[in-house]
Amino acid sequence: MPIIWGTGHSHAWALNRAAMSPGFAPQGFSVRLPVLGSKSFPGGVVLSDERGQPIINPVLDRALPKPDDDNVPVFFSALFGNGHFGLCLAEQAPSIDIIVPPYPKLPERRRIVPRDLAVELFKKNDMQLSVLFTLLRAKGYSTIVQIAAPPPPEEHSSQFLEFVRSKGGMPVPPLLTLKAYICQEIALRELCQSLGAVYCPAPERALTSTGFLRQELSSPDGIHATTEYGSMALTQAISLCNRKEA
Amino acid sequence: MTPYGKLPHYHWWRRSVVGKHWAEVDPVISAPFQLNRKQKIATAGSCFAQHIAQHLRAQGFGYFVSESVDDIVPSELARRFGYGVFSARYGNIYTVRQLTQLFGRAFGTFSSVEDVWTDGNRFYDPFRPFIQPAGFSSAQELVADRESHLAAVKELFEKADVFVFTLGLTECWECRADGTVLPSCPGTSGVGTYDPDKYAFRNFSAFEVTDDLRKFVSDLRKINPEVLIILTVSPVPLIATMENRSVIVSTCYSKAALRVAAEEVSKSEKNVAYFPSFEIVTSNFSVSEMFEGDFREVRPEGVEHVMKLFLRHYCSVDSKSTSEHLRILPDSDETGGRGSLSATLVRAICDEEQLEAQIA
C-alpha cells in the first residue's frame, strides 16, 4: 500500500491532527506524519556532511520510510511556506506595502516592497526545499507534494493581537499579510514547477471570496488552522497525488 | 622673472608628474570644504558614482539612503532590485537634464507624457527601465512604486547635507512631445519600443549642460540652502555613440563638455566643488594602468586610487588601501579574497551596458 509520509513546520499541525483523527480514511493510502515543527530539525532540514555535500538532516532521514516494491512512499511537505508571517506579522518602521492586484493599496503612506522582490526573498528562504527534494528523489521518492500553509484570516484573533503587542509590536493589516502570502505562494509554485513537485494550494472552499482563510477555520492563535482545514488540505493533496499517479 | 617662478610644484608638469609612479601623483590641491561622519551624504550619477557610495559607506561616513528595503533582504538581492546602489532607487542618471527632470518630478514642477512601457504582462518605468529584473508585475505596482520613489527623492534633496553627482554623458534620447529625457534608448534590451516619430536623439552642448547644472544647483538650494555639492566627471568612455563619427571622438567631446560645465558651475557657485576623478584616471601618466583590457572599465586599482584621494582630501582619511575598510561591507562574506572583493566592488551596475548586451 502506498504510504504518504509527511512532515512540516508548525502549519503541518492541522494536517497531522486531521490525519490522526478517526474519521479520516483516505482511500488506498496510509498516512504517516511523524515529525513536526522546525525545532525537530536542529540545524535545518538539510545539512552538510564533512565533505560539504548536502545531506538530509539525520533526524529526518532516520524517520523516512525506505521505498521498496510493496511500499511506494509519497512525500508530503508542509515545510517552509510560512515566510509571509516572517515579513508581515508586526509593523516595521517604516511600514511597508506590497502591490498585488486586484487588492487595493493600503491607505497610509507606506514604503513599497516590489512584489518580485518579496517572491525572490521567499524563494531564497525556501531554498532548502530544492535540496531536500533532490535528495528525496535520489532515495526513490518519485512523488513529492508541497502543501501550502493556510492563508491568514480576514480579522486578527484576540490571541494574535495579544501576542504581537506583548512583543512590543503593532499588528499589520491582515490584507498585507495576505499579499505577502500570495507572494509566498508564487515562490512555492515556481519552485515546485522547477523541481517537478506537485504544489497543493489552500483548498478553495476554505477561503473567503477575497482569498482569506474562512474565520471559523483559523485556529485561535490566528496563524495556524483547524483540524477541519487540515482535513480539507490533506484530502485535496491526496486527490492531486492520485491524479498524478493516474 | 615671471610670475611662474614663484608657483608651487603642482603648477609644473615636470615637478608634479615626471618621474613619479602614477599612484604617487595627486592632482587635488585642496578641498573647499570637509566632510564629516555626521553629515548625510547622498550620491547620484553615472555608474562610476556607485564607487563613491560604496567607499563612503565602508569608511563609516553617513551615506544617506532615503529609499531602502528591510534589513531581512540580503544585500545582494536588494542590490539586484536597485536598493543601496545610490541614495534612492533612481538607477543611473547619465545626463544633467535627466537630473533636473528627476528633481522636477519629485517636487511636482515637471511631468512627462511618458508613463508606463509594457511588454506582455510586464511593466517598465521609462525613467528607470532596469531598476529591477524584468520590470514590474503590474501597472498599479509601477505607479505606486514610482510615487513612493519620488517621495524618497524629494526627502533626499531636502535632507542631504552633501550631494555628490557624477556627470556621465551628453548623448541621450528624448521624447519629441515634451522633451522628457530618458536614461536609455527605448527598445534597449527589449525594454520599451523605439519609435522615431516619438523619440529623438540629442547630444547636449557644453552650454546646455552648464545651464542645466546651474538650474539644478539653484533649484536644490531653494529647498536646501546649506547643501554642499561635489561634482565629478565619469572617466568611463561611451559604450556607443549615435553621432555619425567614431565613439572615440564622441567620448572626447562628451567628457570635455561635461568637464566645462563642472568647471563653470564649481567656479561660480558657492559650496560647489569639483573633484578630478576623470583626470586621475585618464591622464597620460596613469591611463595605461587604469583600464581593463576593453579600455573602458576602470580597474579596481584605479577606482581605489581615486577614492583614496577623495577620502584624503574631503574626509581627512588617509589609508594605504581603502580595500582594507571595504572588507566590512555586508557583501564581503559573499566574495572570496581581496581580488574578488575588489572585482565585485568595481562591477558597478551600468544601464548603458544594456545597449551593448543586445548586440552581443
Side-chain angles (χ1 to χ4, degrees):
Chain A
M1 176 187 283
I3 295 177
I4 290 173
W5 195 94
T7 188
H9 286 130
S10 60
H11 52 272
W13 293 339
L15 306 175
N16 191 37
R17 284 195 300 264
M20 300 305 163
S21 64
F24 189 77
Q27 271 197 331
F29 283 90
S30 71
V31 181
R32 287 164 55 189
L33 295 150
V35 189
L36 286 170
S38 48
K39 284 178 186 162
S40 305
F41 312 114
V45 182
V46 287
L47 305 172
S48 297
D49 65 12
E50 305 83 18
R51 293 167 299 139
Q53 296 300 307
I55 53 165
I56 297 174
N57 188 316
V59 176
L60 179 55
D61 200 23
R62 274 198 297 272
L64 284 170
K66 304 288 172 272
D68 57 45
D69 291 343
D70 304 321
N71 166 16
V72 186
V74 173
F75 190 87
F76 271 24
S77 159
L79 290 157
F80 300 96
N82 53 359
H84 54 289
F85 279 118
L87 187 66
C88 294
L89 191 68
E91 288 284 18
Q92 304 173 25
S95 47
I96 64 164
D97 193 7
I98 308 170
I99 307 299
V100 183
Y103 298 101
K105 184 172 174 264
L106 290 165
E108 320 84 56
R109 189 190 156 188
R110 285 167 173 265
R111 183 172 64 186
I112 305 293
V113 173
R115 192 208 73 166
D116 290 357
L117 175 61
V119 170
E120 286 296 314
L121 186 64
F122 292 140
K123 272 187 190 168
K124 230 175 163 61
N125 192 47
D126 301 343
M127 201 47 82
Q128 282 198 30
L129 279 183
S130 67
V131 182
L132 177 69
F133 289 1
T134 307
L135 292 169
L136 285 168
R137 282 266 151 69
K139 280 183 177 288
Y141 283 78
S142 58
T143 304
I144 297 167
V145 183
Q146 175 68 30
I147 304 176
E154 198 160 4
E155 280 176 34
H156 292 309
S157 69
S158 53
Q159 203 175 315
F160 176 86
L161 292 172
E162 204 177 306
F163 168 72
V164 176
R165 285 173 186 152
S166 71
K167 304 284 177 197
M170 279 280 292
V172 301
L175 180 58
L176 178 57
T177 317
L178 181 65
K179 291 176 181 184
Y181 176 84
I182 291 165
C183 295
Q184 169 72 84
E185 197 176 37
I186 295 168
L188 274 181
R189 234 180 239 284
E190 288 180 3
L191 198 69
C192 287
Q193 200 172 7
S194 70
L195 297 168
V198 177
Y199 178 71
C200 176
E204 260 182 48
R205 60 198 181 95
L207 310 180
T208 67
S209 58
T210 47
F212 287 100
L213 180 66
R214 277 169 36 209
Q215 210 73 34
E216 68 272 22
L217 297 176
S218 176
S219 76
D221 65 14
I223 293 176
H224 301 102
T226 60
T227 307
E228 190 186 349
Y229 174 86
S231 173
M232 286 180 194
L234 210 47
T235 305
Q236 176 171 282
I238 289 166
S239 146
L240 283 172
C241 197
N242 279 331
R243 224 179 294 163
K244 184 178 184 282
E245 294 294 304
Chain B
M1 185 70 175
T2 69
Y4 286 94
K6 291 178 183 170
L7 292 178
H9 75 283
Y10 55 82
H11 285 255
W12 298 90
W13 189 270
R14 186 186 298 276
R15 289 192 220 161
S16 60
V17 178
V18 176
K20 288 192 176 178
H21 184 264
W22 62 266
E24 293 174 293
V25 178
D26 181 356
V28 188
I29 307 310
S30 64
F33 45 79
Q34 288 291 301
L35 309 187
N36 63 55
R37 287 186 163 80
K38 287 181 186 163
Q39 287 168 321
K40 295 194 197 82
I41 306 171
T43 64
S46 71
C47 37
F48 196 77
Q50 294 168 30
H51 302 306
I52 296 173
Q54 290 169 338
H55 282 75
L56 285 171
R57 188 181 281 166
Q59 287 286 348
F61 279 82
Y63 186 63
F64 185 27
V65 176
S66 64
E67 190 173 12
S68 59
V69 72
D70 196 87
D71 290 344
I72 62 166
V73 179
S75 56
E76 170 270 326
L77 179 58
R79 204 171 151 79
R80 269 178 51 211
F81 280 77
Y83 290 98
V85 179
F86 293 109
S87 293
R89 213 165 151 242
Y90 28 63
N92 293 317
I93 299 174
Y94 290 112
T95 58
V96 183
R97 182 67 57 88
Q98 197 189 333
L99 178 68
T100 61
Q101 291 183 354
L102 172 68
F103 187 96
R105 289 195 299 125
F107 286 89
T109 55
F110 179 78
S111 60
S112 172
V113 290
E114 287 298 289
D115 189 17
V116 177
W117 289 347
T118 56
D119 180 15
N121 57 358
R122 303 301 299 183
F123 301 84
Y124 296 86
D125 188 342
F127 304 101
R128 41 189 192 137
F130 306 109
I131 200 65
Q132 58 183 54
F136 291 85
S137 60
S138 64
Q140 293 97 309
E141 183 187 25
L142 188 156
V143 170
D145 189 89
R146 184 190 286 160
E147 195 180 300
S148 171
H149 163 64
L150 291 176
V153 171
K154 187 169 180 276
E155 184 189 351
L156 171 93
F157 286 132
E158 285 170 341
K159 293 186 178 168
D161 297 312
V162 183
F163 182 67
V164 185
F165 182 64
T166 300
L167 292 84
L169 296 175
T170 53
E171 293 191 14
C172 73
W173 290 85
E174 67 176 10
C175 304
R176 291 184 190 275
D178 63 356
T180 296
V181 159
L182 303 168
S184 58
C185 180
T188 303
S189 293
V191 176
T193 306
Y194 175 65
D195 177 349
D197 292 333
K198 280 180 75 180
Y199 307 107
F201 169 70
R202 174 123 189 221
N203 196 3
F204 292 109
S205 71
F207 298 107
E208 287 171 321
V209 181
T210 307
D211 283 349
D212 281 346
L213 199 51
R214 275 196 212 288
K215 177 178 166 22
F216 170 73
V217 171
S218 162
D219 288 348
L220 180 58
R221 286 270 156 77
K222 279 179 197 152
I223 52 113
N224 187 351
E226 302 302 319
V227 67
L228 306 173
I229 298 171
I230 301 176
L231 302 173
T232 68
V233 172
S234 167
V236 180
L238 272 67
I239 206 155
T241 181
M242 196 57 203
E243 295 282 2
N244 184 25
R245 63 187 179 198
S246 159
V247 69
I248 300 168
V249 178
S250 281
T251 294
C252 189
Y253 163 71
S254 181
K255 301 300 175 185
L258 297 175
R259 181 65 190 85
V260 165
E263 182 75 9
E264 290 293 313
V265 175
S266 61
K267 275 183 101 167
S268 59
E269 299 283 341
K270 196 183 160 204
N271 284 336
V272 179
Y274 172 71
F275 178 76
S277 51
F278 175 77
E279 291 84 337
I280 295 166
V281 174
T282 63
S283 288
N284 315 36
F285 60 86
S286 59
V287 69
S288 61
E289 304 286 338
M290 289 290 187
F291 287 96
E292 297 286 8
D294 62 357
F295 301 110
R296 185 169 184 275
E297 194 184 341
V298 181
R299 280 186 185 155
E301 299 88 326
V303 173
E304 197 170 295
H305 184 54
V306 170
M307 288 315 304
K308 192 172 81 173
L309 297 182
F310 183 87
L311 293 167
R312 177 189 295 165
H313 291 284
Y314 280 88
C315 308
S316 302
V317 172
D318 218 338
S319 62
K320 280 192 172 174
S321 167
T322 53
S323 64
E324 293 298 316
H325 301 276
L326 289 172
R327 288 179 187 183
I328 63 168
L329 277 176
D331 284 66
S332 61
D333 58 344
E334 292 163 19
T335 63
R338 182 177 159 176
S340 57
L341 169 62
S342 295
T344 303
L345 287 165
V346 296
R347 206 181 303 125
I349 296 169
C350 185
D351 292 349
E352 203 192 357
E353 285 176 2
Q354 301 282 344
L355 192 62
E356 194 167 62
Q358 71 176 3
I359 56 165

